[in-house]
Amino acid sequence: MQFFEREHLRSIFTKPTNYINTNRGKEYYDNLYKKMEKRLNELKAQQPVREAEIKFQELLETWELSRRDFLKWVSATTAMLMLPPQFEPLVAQAAEVMNRVPIIWINIQDCAGNTEALLRRASPTVDELILEYLSVEYQEVIMAAAGDQAEENLHKAVKDFDGKYLLFVEGSIPVGMPEAFTIGRHPKTGVEHVKHLAEHAAAVIAVGACACFGGVPAAHPNPTGAVGVMDIVKGKPIVNIPACPANPANITGVIIHYILTGELPELDSLLRPKFAFGYRIHDNCERRAHFDAGEFVEEWGDEGAKNNFCLYKMGCKGPFTFNNCSIVRYNEGTNWPIGVGRGCIGCSEPDFWDKYATERPLADSDIQPPGLHGVEAAVDEVGLGLLTATVIGIGVHAVASAIAGKKDETNEEQ
Amino acid sequence: MAKIQKTVLNRVEGEIELKLLWENGRIKDAFIIAPNFRGFEFILEGKPPLDALVINPRICGICGHAHLIATVKALENLYENAGENIEIPEKAKLIRDLTLSSEIIQNHLRWFYLSVLPDFLKLDKNPKLRKYQPIKGSQWRKGLDYSSKIVKVVAIFGGQWPHTSYAIPGGVTSDPTTFEVAEAIAIVSSVLDFYEKNILGMPADKYLSVKNLDEYLENAKSSDLKAFLNLCLKHNLHKVGKAYHRFLTVCDISPSISKGTTKRKRKDFDINKVKEVDAYSFLTEKGFSFDKNRYSWAKAVRYDGLPYETSPLARRINNRDELFLNLVNDFKDSYMVRTWARIDEVLKLLLSMKKWLSQIDIKETSYIKPKKDVKELEGKAFGFCEAARGSLIHEIQVKEGKIKKYNIITPSTWNLGPRCPDYLSPAEKAIKGLKSSLLAEMVLRSFDVCSVCTTH
Ligand code: SF4
Ligand code: SF4
């Protein structure tokens, strides 16, 4: 393969990575609509998980949120799930029957960062949508119970909702050193804990880089033999929602999708939902125009930095990272790392602590070009792990001009 | 002889477990167990020094930003120790203090409403307390809401919360606009307003002149702090939970936090007096050991051979705040005083934030390039930072462009670590002698438990 050829670079940076086909034709959406309507009607006929039904409308009022705030959220979520606008009423209804799906959330080798990110989400706050309306049966950070009572609650939830609950796991699992996580009156290792709860769950959702791919604990030399959920749980549907922390919007997205369809969203080969991880940071980056123009920050604090130029040369891994934070951002859309000139560290990709995480420009990093596998395979496997020093040196302007062709292509697609 | 009974409270908060030995209905001994270990210090070894800036914030999902600041300061100290003067623009200093303070405030608010107040529902059947009920209670929600609001300030200057990595040796990468500064001012003002109305029950300036408990209770309108203090008095929480009455603070955040150590008198902090003891830790000098008497992944840490408490209370004492000197005089380092100090600190930091925001000169640069590449430096260095729960110390050793050794001593290592051969940890000492496990849990929580920080 002629790696440095203009055509080749062009193909790398113009490859449509959006694997969700956003227009699948009227027939497809009509069928999907019917299917979702049916599922929602089934859920509506069911009892809420908790005895007392809380009315969604009342909830909006007690949280001092207007119907308009809620509808805004509905549009955003519908778009995020890549459904056409006519699905908005269904998404609104899905939010209203969220309390039919029980949730158990456990923390293993974690830092609680994903829980914290989720707690810090609003509009309308997932605090009300998730915490109150959604039936969280067990969550170590927010539950009041401790000690034996906590353990009992968990047992009871597993028994009462056998085969029905969604299991959320935060943190990696130390298979190499069981002592690194052993807890409870009847001490259970992390592996036993996760396996047991997964066995009785409807599906398992790994939240954050640690639960998905081992995260920081699994970085070299991986002192505790940390792995992700998919390395130990077999025979159950699994969704990975990586990033550090996972974006709360994506967590809600997966839940809403499950409520709408009774199924998990379409996943890529790393089990990430395509609606969130189907495209690269770079595809929607606010600094992209500067990349295209070949305008880069060359050094922290330089003129380029003051003018928000592209951070590629400062080690931004946006072109190799599949995630939607360039659109969704963090803390209710307040900002994201590229917004403060720091660059993307690739936190939704496996092994990124050893491979991508640093501010080392690719020139100094260990990232290997995909070589024989070809770019396309690599895109899906490791999130486009490529480009070497020389490419950057020679390639930047070539790439820049190649990119210029991209906009036309996208237009065509739409 | 009375029979000794053993109980284990698992998941007192997060992953922390408590093993209690009972005799005659009293707690005779308490062991704080931190069972979750990830091994950050091993992971950092051999990596390029700048990698620590992205890895370390992930030590904790609640105070990760403090770990970033400690890391960047350790790297800057590496320059200084190598004789390279490092200059940090005033603007960058202000931004670092602003974001750090936001993180501390979010933590205190979250902790007060999510951890402290709900405990009283178990202790007291007064229906008025329902507003503090987890998830459903109106004040619980407000507390969470405002703690989410203040972290937006971190997001504005740092990109996201939790887990920011925007500070670098020589400054910060962000270059805020006037609009962003104004946004931050609006957030701080709204949190201050909430704080005065809901927590203090009086205007900030009036509160600042309060000298003791009675004076506060007389003058405050009904508020969550007032309700809390009255509950403490009713249930004797001003008499329990005393630790060693020794306080340590490693770093200044001017004007309300000053470094120092207080035993009987206040002295300067000297890093050479800090020693870790691994007699009861699974993690040892030589590697891992699961011998029978070892019970926590945390190590003990001692200053001049003695256990010290590091916390907002320690900061109030080392800062010589009159109110808290009086409170400690009247009630010692009890549950009530320790908790109040955290709530008090929110105000001091909010007021400072307002001032700092007005001082930011957006025309100034955010970063001054150090004269040397960090890879050319070798040696040993320290980064000190005050985090939500107390003092944080990072120690880095660099050789041939790689991290040779990295050591992290968190506030929770000081407070919630295991014992050493001579002394219990401050929280173990504070729990000893109590009469119920609920009280044991509450006293433990007054140190603001963070299991992941304890072990890292
Ligand atoms: S993925 Fe990140 S946020 Fe999540 S547990 Fe790991 S370090 Fe914490
Ligand atoms: S800052 Fe990063 S993601 Fe954005 S355009 Fe540049 S390289 Fe791409």
Side-chain angles (χ1 to χ4, degrees):
Chain A
M1 184 176 300
Q2 292 305 304
F3 199 75
F4 309 130
E5 257 176 29
R6 198 183 161 101
E7 266 316 296
H8 179 71
L9 287 167
R10 183 186 154 89
S11 77
I12 293 168
F13 282 103
T14 56
K15 186 169 164 37
T17 48
N18 187 343
Y19 289 108
I20 284 203
N21 186 349
T22 45
N23 191 359
R24 304 184 197 219
K26 190 171 173 313
E27 202 187 333
Y28 171 85
Y29 289 110
D30 285 349
N31 285 336
L32 186 64
Y33 197 94
K34 280 195 204 109
K35 189 175 148 193
M36 289 180 175
E37 254 186 338
K38 188 164 159 261
R39 156 93 176 157
L40 287 173
N41 286 333
E42 279 166 18
L43 284 176
K44 274 185 218 156
Q46 280 173 27
Q47 286 297 313
V49 173
R50 294 220 177 90
E51 303 96 76
E53 165 95 83
I54 320 166
K55 287 272 177 300
F56 193 78
Q57 189 54 41
E58 283 166 22
L59 209 64
L60 284 180
E61 280 158 22
T62 44
W63 278 90
E64 290 166 19
L65 283 162
S66 67
R67 193 80 201 162
R68 230 181 88 218
D69 291 331
F70 175 61
L71 292 178
K72 249 200 219 135
W73 174 86
V74 167
S75 312
T77 307
T78 312
M80 187 181 77
L81 291 172
M82 298 188 172
L83 294 167
Q86 72 259 32
F87 281 74
E88 284 178 15
L90 293 186
V91 171
Q93 285 176 46
E96 296 180 18
V97 291
M98 264 191 167
N99 57 354
R100 267 68 165 177
V101 178
I103 301 249
I104 291 177
W105 181 302
I106 56 166
N107 301 56
I108 310 290
Q109 275 183 305
D110 68 313
C111 69
N114 299 292
T115 299
E116 290 300 326
L118 187 65
L119 285 171
R120 295 320 194 285
R121 156 123 165 102
S123 60
T125 52
V126 172
D127 317 338
E128 101 247 8
L129 277 177
I130 298 262
L131 301 185
E132 177 152 7
Y133 206 59
L134 200 82
S135 186
V136 183
E137 298 303 312
Y138 183 89
Q139 213 293 356
E140 278 140 23
V141 175
I142 55 166
M143 68 189 178
D148 290 350
Q149 200 200 339
E151 221 162 277
E152 260 164 45
N153 290 358
L154 183 59
H155 279 307
K156 190 166 177 318
V158 174
K159 222 172 94 216
D160 292 354
F161 308 112
D162 200 351
K164 293 205 186 79
Y165 61 85
L166 294 179
L167 175 68
F168 285 78
V169 181
E170 176 174 9
S172 51
I173 306 124
V175 292
M177 188 192 274
E179 294 90 349
F181 187 91
T182 305
I183 197 167
R185 159 153 310 208
H186 315 287
K188 260 201 183 123
T189 65
V191 179
E192 289 163 348
H193 201 48
V194 173
K195 276 193 174 164
H196 167 75
L197 293 174
E199 203 181 302
H200 296 271
V204 189
I205 297 159
V207 184
C210 299
C212 295
F213 312 124
V216 182
H220 181 79
N222 194 348
T224 61
V227 298
V229 171
M230 64 180 175
D231 296 310
I232 61 159
V233 172
K234 304 286 169 211
K236 274 285 157 180
I238 298 176
V239 184
N240 282 330
I241 311 181
C244 193
N247 203 315
N250 296 335
I251 302 174
T252 328
V254 169
I255 298 172
I256 295 272
H257 190 280
Y258 181 74
I259 287 173
L260 279 173
T261 58
E263 290 159 17
L264 297 173
E266 207 182 316
L267 306 175
D268 71 4
S269 59
L270 290 168
L271 307 183
R272 304 178 291 194
K274 286 186 180 177
F275 71 78
F277 300 92
Y279 40 89
R280 291 169 286 182
I281 304 282
H282 185 69
D283 297 339
N284 300 295
C285 176
E286 62 204 23
R287 299 186 185 223
R288 177 59 183 265
H290 294 295
F291 178 93
D292 293 1
E295 294 170 338
F296 297 95
V297 176
E298 306 278 345
E299 188 171 274
W300 304 122
D302 68 2
E303 274 309 302
K306 291 199 178 64
N307 289 306
N308 298 333
F309 283 2
C310 167
L311 297 161
Y312 191 64
K313 288 192 178 177
M314 299 310 294
C316 177
K317 308 296 188 291
F320 315 95
T321 306
F322 288 77
N323 202 346
N324 58 356
C325 49
S326 40
I327 303 168
V328 184
R329 302 170 150 233
Y330 279 97
N331 304 92
E332 295 172 49
T334 306
N335 213 342
W336 65 310
I338 287 177
V340 293
R342 173 69 208 198
C344 164
I345 60 170
C347 74
S348 54
E349 302 304 317
D351 302 331
F352 78 103
W353 298 108
D354 291 320
K355 273 209 227 151
Y356 297 171
T358 70
E359 68 183 22
R360 292 191 289 273
L362 288 166
D364 315 335
S365 91
D366 302 335
I367 299 177
Q368 296 299 317
L372 300 173
H373 300 300
V375 176
E376 269 166 58
V379 163
D380 199 39
E381 264 170 35
V382 292
L384 205 71
L386 68 136
L387 273 210
T388 58
T390 5
V391 183
I392 298 168
I394 307 169
V396 163
H397 286 283
V399 171
S401 43
I403 300 298
K406 192 203 165 176
K407 288 182 192 101
D408 304 327
E409 266 180 39
T410 351
N411 284 343
E412 261 167 39
E413 272 164 38
Q414 290 161 351
Chain B
M1 219 172 75
K3 210 174 148 235
I4 293 182
Q5 271 185 316
K6 189 183 102 179
T7 58
V8 177
L9 297 172
N10 58 67
R11 296 202 179 282
V12 172
E13 193 168 339
E15 283 112 18
I16 290 284
E17 298 188 306
L18 205 48
K19 190 169 101 189
L20 302 172
L21 298 186
W22 297 83
E23 190 181 43
N24 292 332
R26 270 182 191 275
I27 295 171
K28 188 181 174 341
D29 199 1
F31 298 81
I32 297 169
I33 303 169
N36 171 357
F37 174 72
R38 292 164 299 163
F40 270 78
E41 286 148 341
F42 297 93
I43 289 159
L44 287 161
E45 245 171 62
K47 295 212 162 44
L50 291 179
D51 281 21
L53 289 171
V54 284
I55 291 178
N56 289 350
R58 272 79 187 179
I59 289 170
C60 182
I62 309 170
C63 67
H65 185 272
H67 285 282
L68 171 68
I69 299 295
T71 309
V72 85
K73 285 193 178 170
L75 292 170
E76 285 165 355
N77 185 234
L78 195 65
Y79 278 96
E80 284 154 19
N81 291 349
E84 293 289 327
N85 187 28
I86 199 152
E87 233 184 305
I88 303 159
E90 199 47 38
K91 181 172 146 197
K93 282 190 204 150
L94 290 170
I95 291 177
R96 287 182 188 181
D97 280 347
L98 273 165
T99 44
L100 183 62
S101 303
S102 321
E103 183 175 80
I104 295 176
I105 293 168
Q106 72 78 26
N107 179 78
H108 293 350
L109 292 177
R110 161 197 185 279
W111 166 81
F112 188 52
Y113 287 101
L114 269 65
S115 298
V116 172
L117 288 171
D119 276 338
F120 286 91
L121 292 156
K122 299 180 214 158
L123 202 64
D124 197 306
K125 295 284 163 266
N126 186 346
K128 275 198 188 141
L129 294 180
R130 276 197 211 125
K131 59 182 176 198
Y132 303 125
Q133 203 180 339
I135 300 173
K136 294 202 170 60
S138 57
Q139 290 305 98
W140 189 96
R141 288 176 184 181
K142 267 195 201 160
L144 186 60
D145 199 16
Y146 281 92
S147 100
S148 306
K149 212 169 233 170
I150 196 74
V151 291
K152 284 194 194 166
V153 175
V154 190
I156 289 172
F157 298 108
Q160 74 190 71
W161 188 93
H163 300 334
T164 39
S165 288
Y166 73 101
I168 44 175
V172 296
T173 61
S174 52
D175 241 323
T177 59
T178 320
F179 176 75
E180 285 164 326
V181 173
E183 211 182 330
I185 292 174
I187 294 171
V188 172
S189 305
S190 86
V191 178
L192 187 58
D193 188 53
F194 161 79
Y195 181 86
E196 287 180 319
K197 290 202 179 105
N198 288 265
I199 298 185
L200 286 186
M202 59 170 69
D205 48 354
K206 191 164 174 202
Y207 172 81
L208 289 175
S209 67
V210 167
K211 301 251 170 341
N212 57 47
L213 176 69
D214 292 339
E215 197 186 325
Y216 173 75
L217 289 177
E218 267 161 42
N219 292 298
K221 292 210 193 73
S222 82
S223 70
D224 294 339
L225 177 58
K226 189 173 178 180
F228 167 79
L229 294 173
N230 280 324
L231 282 164
C232 283
L233 294 174
K234 183 175 165 197
H235 296 280
N236 278 327
L237 291 163
H238 55 309
K239 292 191 182 143
V240 302
K242 291 169 211 160
Y244 288 101
H245 211 281
R246 281 195 291 266
F247 308 103
L248 180 136
T249 307
V250 298
C251 177
D252 296 319
I253 305 182
S254 168
S256 52
I257 292 175
S258 7
K259 67 176 171 201
T261 60
T262 304
K263 204 158 101 186
R264 240 162 269 117
K265 274 182 31 218
R266 186 178 168 277
K267 294 209 172 112
D268 279 345
F269 166 73
D270 174 6
I271 180 67
N272 297 314
K273 293 187 177 168
V274 175
K275 293 260 156 2
E276 284 188 294
V277 189
D278 61 23
Y280 291 88
S281 167
F282 299 137
L283 188 59
T284 72
E285 201 62 46
K286 295 189 195 77
F288 305 113
S289 166
F290 301 103
D291 286 355
K292 227 175 133 264
N293 57 346
R294 298 176 186 275
Y295 63 93
S296 179
W297 275 104
K299 290 179 189 164
V301 54
R302 298 290 174 257
Y303 183 79
D304 216 2
L306 297 170
Y308 272 72
E309 167 171 350
T310 166
S311 64
L313 176 58
R315 297 197 273 252
R316 300 277 61 79
I317 300 301
N318 285 319
N319 200 51
R320 315 310 288 163
D321 278 21
E322 202 183 344
L323 171 63
F324 280 88
L325 291 175
N326 290 342
L327 286 173
V328 163
N329 200 24
D330 297 344
F331 307 104
K332 300 284 182 307
D333 47 344
S334 60
Y335 174 92
M336 180 183 82
V337 179
R338 185 175 296 118
T339 307
W340 190 353
R342 286 200 147 76
I343 294 309
D344 177 273
E345 185 165 274
V346 173
L347 176 66
K348 311 276 158 72
L349 293 177
L350 281 170
L351 296 175
S352 300
M353 284 177 76
K354 269 190 109 162
K355 202 176 89 220
W356 297 331
L357 280 162
S358 70
Q359 288 170 347
I360 287 186
D361 174 3
I362 55 162
K363 291 197 292 301
E364 198 191 343
T365 181
S366 304
Y367 169 79
I368 297 170
K369 193 183 178 194
K371 284 180 213 75
K372 266 193 178 165
D373 190 324
V374 76
K375 286 181 209 118
E376 298 163 31
L377 306 173
E378 292 206 334
K380 180 168 140 178
F382 289 100
F384 302 115
C385 174
E386 284 302 315
R389 294 174 179 78
S391 302
L392 174 62
I393 301 174
H394 279 209
E395 180 189 348
I396 189 172
Q397 286 179 42
V398 178
K399 212 177 162 197
E400 288 160 7
K402 295 267 159 74
I403 296 172
K404 200 173 146 232
K405 212 166 166 31
Y406 207 102
N407 192 32
I408 300 153
I409 302 177
T410 67
S412 300
T413 317
W414 290 94
N415 298 337
L416 314 170
R419 59 205 57 201
C420 67
D422 301 319
Y423 299 97
L424 305 183
S425 66
E428 288 178 339
K429 160 105 175 14
I431 290 168
K432 209 174 135 172
L434 295 173
K435 284 189 196 150
S436 81
S437 39
L438 177 57
L439 281 179
E441 278 178 35
M442 288 176 75
V443 167
L444 181 65
R445 244 167 246 146
S446 73
F447 287 90
D448 198 354
V449 179
C450 180
S451 53
V452 290
C453 269
T454 320
T455 59
H456 40 273

